[in-house]
């Protein structure tokens, strides 16, 4: 269990470092540009701005951190109850906020520190109450159902966001979070790892869930941020990628807590999610104000996006816009 916790912490560190490095890459690209063609008519980042940021050295290092975070998060999802692994990985918001203070000049207010302390204390409570993870194997019907649910979420969310327009930011963020949570569950039950078999992995519905949910989760997360409601969409994503797989892990996969400490696990889980949402709500607004004060108007959304949440749970996503 300690190895799993270590992997989850490593994933949070990887995602937190990635957020700050991606933001630095966006700033470097903006500083080297004329600003022309950098934003869409609605104020979101253009493909040109995203590509320019992605080609900076610091952004590439951030992408590597994302990959490391994904690998570590996947390992944690296999070793820990999902309510613990997903919540620890969501703690990357705290790491991003603290690193952003030094690297990007993001100001942290007393309410920010209070929210981060709440997350840390809640994680300690959750770790104390956790016992062991449940099954790492599941029936073909379960894995097929997870793939079907993933496809349904994608179809419904794409139709809803298209119909809602700019008002669909929070819906897109929640959908992205649900897809990232589906990845965590799919990683947990993926077959063909012991013993290793490429053929088994390739034909496992869980593997297809990881690929499809990863691609569309990244897309919907980017859409949510470009639609403008960075704070709300990020908070919604935290809930989707943490609460849902945590609850389903207990209900369907046999994740358990230490005997007699169920109440402590519930309290720690709920408070950790509340704290992470508060960090997202407080931090993303401050990141946007900091970007404006630094006269990086052209890529305000690009900067705010990774700062608001760079990372992902064991999904390996990135918010470069």
């Amino acid at each position: 269990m300690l190895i799993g916790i270590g992997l989850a912490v490593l994933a949070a560190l990887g995602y937190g470092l990635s957020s700050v490095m991606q933001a630095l890459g966006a700033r470097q690209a903006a500083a080297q540009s004329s600003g022309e063609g950098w934003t869409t008519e609605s104020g979101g980042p253009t493909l040109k701005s995203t590509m320019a940021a992605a080609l900076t050295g610091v952004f590439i290092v951030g992408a590597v951190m994302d990959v490391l975070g994904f690998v570590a998060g996947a390992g944690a999802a296999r070793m820990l109850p999902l309510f613990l692994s997903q919540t620890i990985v969501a703690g990357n918001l705290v790491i991003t906020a603290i690193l952003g203070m030094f690297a990007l000049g993001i100001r942290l207010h007393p309410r920010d520190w209070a929210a981060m302390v709440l997350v840390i204390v809640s994680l300690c409570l959750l770790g104390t109450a956790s016992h062991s993870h449940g099954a790492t194997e599941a029936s073909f019907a379960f894995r097929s159902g997870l793939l079907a649910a993933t496809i349904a979420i994608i179809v419904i969310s794409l139709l809803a966001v298209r119909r809602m327009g700019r008002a669909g930011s929070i819906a897109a963020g929640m959908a992205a979070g649900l897809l990232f949570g589906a990845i965590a569950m799919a990683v947990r039950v993926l077959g063909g790892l012991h013993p290793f078999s490429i053929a088994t992995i390739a034909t496992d519905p869980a593997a297809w869930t990881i690929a499809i949910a990863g691609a569309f989760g990244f897309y919907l997360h980017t859409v949510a941020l470009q639609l403008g409601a960075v704070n709300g969409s990020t908070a919604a994503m935290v809930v989707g990628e943490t609460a849902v797989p945590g609850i389903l892990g207990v209900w369907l996969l046999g994740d358990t807590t230490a005997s007699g400490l169920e109440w402590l696990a519930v309290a720690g889980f709920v408070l950790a999610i509340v704290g992470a949402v508060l960090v997202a709500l407080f931090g993303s607004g401050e990141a946007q104000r900091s970007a404006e004060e630094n006269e990086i108007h052209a890529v305000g959304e690009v900067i705010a996006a990774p700062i608001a949440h760079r990372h992902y749970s064991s999904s390996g996503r990135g918010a470069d816009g």
Side-chain angles (χ1 to χ4, degrees):
M1 187 170 181
L2 288 178
I3 295 177
I5 291 176
L7 288 174
V9 171
L10 184 60
L13 286 171
Y15 291 143
L17 286 168
S18 173
S19 299
V20 174
M21 290 178 177
Q22 288 176 346
L24 285 172
R27 289 193 175 186
Q28 286 182 7
Q32 297 169 2
S33 74
S34 62
E36 184 177 352
W38 218 249
T39 59
T40 63
E41 292 182 0
S42 63
T46 63
L47 179 61
K48 175 182 177 180
S49 68
T50 299
M51 290 301 297
L55 292 175
T56 60
V58 67
F59 194 100
I60 292 173
V61 174
V64 173
M65 292 296 101
D66 249 343
V67 174
L68 293 176
F70 169 74
V71 174
R78 297 280 297 189
M79 297 181 181
L80 298 174
L82 289 175
F83 64 78
L84 179 59
S85 65
Q86 291 300 101
T87 308
I88 293 176
V89 174
N92 75 79
L93 288 167
V94 174
I95 295 170
T96 299
I98 294 175
L99 291 177
M101 178 178 63
F102 296 102
L104 298 167
I106 305 300
R107 294 190 303 273
L108 295 181
H109 305 288
R111 65 181 187 181
D112 301 309
W113 289 109
M116 288 188 288
V117 169
L118 177 60
V119 171
I120 294 171
V121 171
S122 299
L123 289 177
C124 291
L125 296 178
L126 196 56
T128 300
S130 297
H131 177 54
S132 63
H133 65 77
T136 55
E137 297 181 359
S139 67
F140 184 82
F142 176 89
R143 288 174 282 140
S144 298
L146 183 59
L147 176 59
T150 296
I151 294 174
I153 291 172
I154 291 171
V155 173
I156 293 172
S157 60
L158 289 177
L159 292 175
V161 171
R162 180 180 179 84
R163 180 177 294 274
M164 296 171 69
R166 294 194 64 85
S169 179
I170 293 178
M174 174 60 77
L178 290 174
L179 292 176
F180 296 144
I183 292 174
M185 295 188 67
V187 167
R188 170 73 168 274
V189 299
L190 179 64
L193 298 180
H194 304 290
F196 183 77
S197 171
I198 294 180
T200 301
I201 293 175
T203 57
D204 192 334
W208 288 96
T209 296
I210 294 171
I212 295 172
F216 282 94
F218 174 84
Y219 171 74
L220 286 166
H221 179 51
T222 301
V223 168
L225 295 169
Q226 290 183 310
L227 288 175
V230 176
N231 304 49
S233 64
T234 299
M237 185 167 63
V238 168
V239 174
E241 69 179 358
T242 307
V244 174
I247 293 171
L248 292 179
V250 172
W251 182 27
L252 300 175
L253 296 178
D255 289 344
T256 60
T257 63
S259 179
L261 294 180
E262 293 83 1
W263 65 272
L264 188 61
V266 172
F269 183 63
V270 172
L271 291 176
I273 293 176
V274 170
V277 169
L278 291 177
V279 171
L281 291 174
F282 298 155
S284 55
E286 181 55 49
Q288 179 64 40
R289 287 192 292 273
S290 174
E292 292 172 351
E293 291 177 5
N294 282 303
E295 300 180 347
I296 313 294
H297 303 286
V299 289
E301 289 295 328
V302 179
I303 294 172
I307 288 302
H309 186 68
R310 178 7 301 238
H311 66 13
Y312 327 10
S313 72
S314 52
S315 53
R317 56 211 187 274
D320 57 292

